[in-house]
Amino acid sequence: MSSKRYLLAIETSCDETAASVIADDFSICSNVVASQAKLHERFGGVVPEIASRAHLSRILPVIATGLDEAEIKREQLAAIAATDGPGLVGSLLVGLTAAKTLAAAWELPLVTVDHIEAHLFACRLGAGRDVFPAVGLVVSGGHTNLYRCLSAFEFELLGSTIDDAAGEAFDKAARILGLPYPGGPSISAAAANGDSAAIDFPRPMANSDRLEFSFSGLKTAILYAAKGHPNGTPAPPLTEQRVCDLAASFQQAVVDVLVSKSAQAIRQTGKRRLLLGGGVAANRSLREQLGQQAERDGFELIVAPLEFCTDNAAMAALAWEQLGRGAVASLDCDVRSGLVRKRRPQKLTGRR
Ligand code: KG4
Ligand code: ZN
């Protein structure tokens, strides 16, 4: 019988209900993700109330499938892990409550996992070796944050978006162009048949020294380019080719900003390694162009494996590192909606 130890991780921070069994050598024994994309599609974005109800009906089958696929019995588990934030409160509550219940019933330690830290820890799963210290860029539907990462838990926020997140901008742009939700993959597919130089979209914050992002102006720019300007200037007809050109030009503007701010963060911090995680990290152009920038500037780029970019529970493998430090959560811990304790590197307390 294997001497490995296993933990069950649960992730429900947004609109994916996910469970994974992870061994203590970080091998992923199962990775189950039930997507709610179909439920939110007609709204063009995640509706929190619908998300939490869908988590409720899916959480138990997803956990059962996670254990079945890993062929792991509960007696073999050493801990239960769950995301406690940041994310949608109603969604987080479903996963964390399920985890607390199992931890209490099976008399196992509970470990709470930070969703942002987990997105960057996904890079560790692909690399198969330690990836810290580094600069970390998390680009998702809810976040566009640059960090100085001293370790898997000690993050200093260098800058973030002052309005929309990059993934949110992809989702809104797709809606404007009549492309399906989630917008990232559909913009990326349309962009493959378009000309990225067709429309000269702005590169917001590109000339600022600050490591901040802004995507709401870009969203307005694509709205006007697609539907016409409020001053009466009409837009060219929204033909299939025009949609592809708009998608390609929009994607290039987002990628340019993400690449240039990442390079700026590397220069400013003196770090030689960049980690890229989060749903938008699945974008092929971003992965390729950041890779080219890394080669030009001589830093190492580690991108989360594709399967661990969008929300999943496998990236909560981070919980093993926390267990190693004795960071067990209390059963009366709560969820966190926003980014807290991210301003300065923090040492773990008894709770985490
Ligand atoms: O990390 P994630 O699954 O959820 C959050 O934590 O927010 O990220 C979801 C976001 C969505 O906005 C989606 O449109 C975007 O990631 N996304 C992409 C791609 N795949 C997913 N954006 C650009 N290109 C992609 N290929
Ligand atoms: Zn996420």
Side-chain angles (χ1 to χ4, degrees):
M1 183 159 155
S2 153
S3 57
K4 283 189 195 175
R5 299 187 314 140
Y6 302 91
L7 63 76
L8 168 70
I10 298 169
E11 146 65 35
T12 60
S13 65
C14 190
D15 63 338
E16 322 281 8
T17 318
S20 174
V21 172
I22 307 149
D24 56 357
D25 61 357
F26 299 132
S27 51
I28 308 302
C29 310
S30 64
N31 181 27
V32 180
V33 182
S35 169
Q36 301 177 8
K38 281 268 158 282
L39 297 178
H40 301 286
E41 187 169 16
R42 71 190 170 103
F43 304 102
V46 178
V47 181
E49 182 62 17
I50 294 176
S52 39
R53 283 169 192 271
H55 283 308
L56 260 185
S57 61
R58 291 159 191 222
I59 188 75
L60 294 180
V62 163
I63 290 172
T65 309
L67 290 171
D68 282 355
E69 286 187 1
E71 296 182 8
I72 290 292
K73 305 234 171 314
R74 69 178 167 93
E75 296 75 23
Q76 293 170 270
L77 291 175
I80 308 286
T83 310
D84 67 340
L88 301 172
V89 167
S91 292
L92 287 163
L93 270 172
V94 177
L96 185 62
T97 307
K100 285 181 185 179
T101 309
L102 293 178
W106 296 347
E107 297 180 4
L108 291 171
L110 172 72
V111 185
T112 51
V113 173
D114 181 285
H115 187 62
I116 302 287
E117 291 171 356
H119 267 310
L120 287 181
F121 199 77
C123 298
R124 162 78 178 78
L125 296 179
R129 62 183 158 88
D130 194 12
V131 295
F132 300 97
V135 167
L137 173 64
V138 180
V139 261
S140 69
H143 302 279
T144 306
N145 299 347
L146 269 166
Y147 294 98
R148 187 201 310 265
C149 309
L150 305 180
S151 73
F153 317 96
E154 293 165 301
F155 285 21
E156 181 187 352
L157 186 65
L158 297 170
S160 58
T161 178
I162 58 167
D163 41 55
D164 294 348
E168 195 180 352
F170 270 102
D171 295 337
K172 288 177 177 168
R175 199 160 189 216
I176 290 166
L177 298 181
L179 298 171
Y181 174 83
S186 42
I187 292 266
S188 175
N193 301 313
D195 173 5
S196 61
I199 296 107
D200 187 17
F201 284 127
R203 270 53 174 169
M205 307 295 233
N207 297 320
S208 149
D209 280 349
R210 307 227 307 256
L211 293 170
E212 286 177 337
F213 303 89
S214 166
F215 294 107
S216 71
L218 198 48
K219 179 189 66 193
T220 310
I222 195 172
L223 175 68
Y224 293 171
K227 307 262 163 96
H229 197 279
N231 70 11
T233 313
L238 207 49
T239 58
E240 208 172 304
Q241 188 55 50
R242 172 87 178 159
V243 166
C244 293
D245 289 346
L246 283 164
S249 303
F250 172 85
Q251 175 175 269
Q252 191 55 51
V254 176
V255 168
D256 278 351
V257 173
L258 293 173
V259 170
S260 77
K261 287 290 163 189
S262 302
Q264 199 176 320
I266 288 282
R267 281 196 301 278
Q268 287 184 13
T269 58
K271 296 257 181 283
R272 304 310 308 154
R273 185 184 294 147
L274 179 74
L275 309 181
L276 175 68
V280 181
N283 187 276
R284 210 180 63 206
S285 295
L286 176 61
R287 297 165 84 95
E288 283 172 6
Q289 293 182 41
L290 211 43
Q292 290 157 6
Q293 186 73 37
E295 238 167 70
R296 273 195 298 276
D297 292 359
F299 63 85
E300 182 188 13
L301 172 68
I302 303 183
V303 186
L306 261 186
E307 68 206 295
F308 304 138
C309 284
T310 46
D311 287 348
N312 65 86
M315 61 193 189
L318 172 63
W320 276 120
E321 299 264 354
Q322 283 169 254
L323 269 177
R325 294 170 163 218
V328 171
S330 146
L331 285 182
D332 64 6
C333 67
D334 209 346
V335 299
R336 302 174 282 117
S337 62
L339 282 182
V340 287
R341 60 177 198 82
K342 288 292 167 203
R343 294 272 157 199
R344 296 269 174 274
Q346 291 199 355
K347 291 268 174 272
L348 288 169
T349 62
R351 184 187 159 269
R352 333 181 5 118

